[in-house]
Amino acid sequence: MNGLLTFLPIILMIVLFYFLLIRPQQKRQKEVANMQNSLSKGDKIITIGGLHGVVDAIEEGIVILKCGNAKLTFDRNAIRTVLEKGSTVAAEPAAPKATTEEVSEDAKEENK
């Protein structure tokens, strides 16, 4: 029993490290892998180097990006984030802008 009590702080530290460091890192790695595997043609992306582009073609481990008039080849692992999905994102209707009359009425109500 005494030997278990001496190892209890070490065991607690290992459990704490697992839940605070290891498990969240594994979740992030899984999310990044899913994002990189779900890339499709037309996606707007940012690479780890900060290059903004649109996915033009995808091969096994290679992504061809269109940046202006140039086409650049990158490793799939070089994709950091996907800004917009190319074909799945529908254009959202713009919210109607408030007229100056509505704004002045709102300001009058706030001042009361």
Side-chain angles (χ1 to χ4, degrees), residues 35 39-58 63-74 78-86:
M35 180 267 306
L39 285 174
S40 61
K41 185 176 180 176
D43 290 351
K44 293 182 180 178
I45 58 98
I46 301 175
T47 65
I48 57 176
L51 180 79
H52 292 245
V54 178
V55 176
D56 189 50
I58 299 174
V63 177
I64 299 172
L65 299 180
K66 194 174 195 179
C67 302
N69 295 332
K71 289 188 179 181
L72 305 170
T73 304
F74 282 90
I79 307 300
R80 182 179 61 186
T81 56
V82 175
L83 298 176
E84 285 184 21
K85 286 295 203 180

Side-chain angles (χ1 to χ4, degrees), residues 3-91:
L4 182 64
L5 288 176
T6 57
F7 288 114
L8 188 63
I10 295 172
I11 294 170
L12 287 175
M13 284 178 47
I14 291 171
V15 170
L16 188 68
F17 275 124
Y18 176 77
F19 283 107
L20 294 179
L21 297 174
I22 298 169
R23 192 163 171 233
Q25 181 65 28
Q26 288 175 341
K27 278 186 173 182
R28 272 185 246 120
Q29 286 176 343
K30 193 179 290 185
E31 289 172 2
V32 168
N34 287 337
M35 180 267 306
Q36 290 173 347
N37 290 330
S38 68
L39 285 174
S40 61
K41 185 176 180 176
D43 290 351
K44 293 182 180 178
I45 58 98
I46 301 175
T47 65
I48 57 176
L51 180 79
H52 292 245
V54 178
V55 176
D56 189 50
I58 299 174
E59 296 173 11
E60 284 186 32
I62 297 173
V63 177
I64 299 172
L65 299 180
K66 194 174 195 179
C67 302
N69 295 332
K71 289 188 179 181
L72 305 170
T73 304
F74 282 90
D75 191 45
R76 188 179 283 226
N77 293 330
I79 307 300
R80 182 179 61 186
T81 56
V82 175
L83 298 176
E84 285 184 21
K85 286 295 203 180
S87 58
T88 59
V89 175

Side-chain angles (χ1 to χ4, degrees), residues 86-112:
S87 58
T88 59
V89 175
E92 295 180 13
K97 294 183 179 178
T99 62
T100 55
E101 294 172 1
E102 291 173 348
V103 172
S104 62
E105 288 175 9
D106 290 338
K108 287 178 186 176
E109 290 177 11
E110 290 177 3
N111 288 336
K112 288 182 181 181

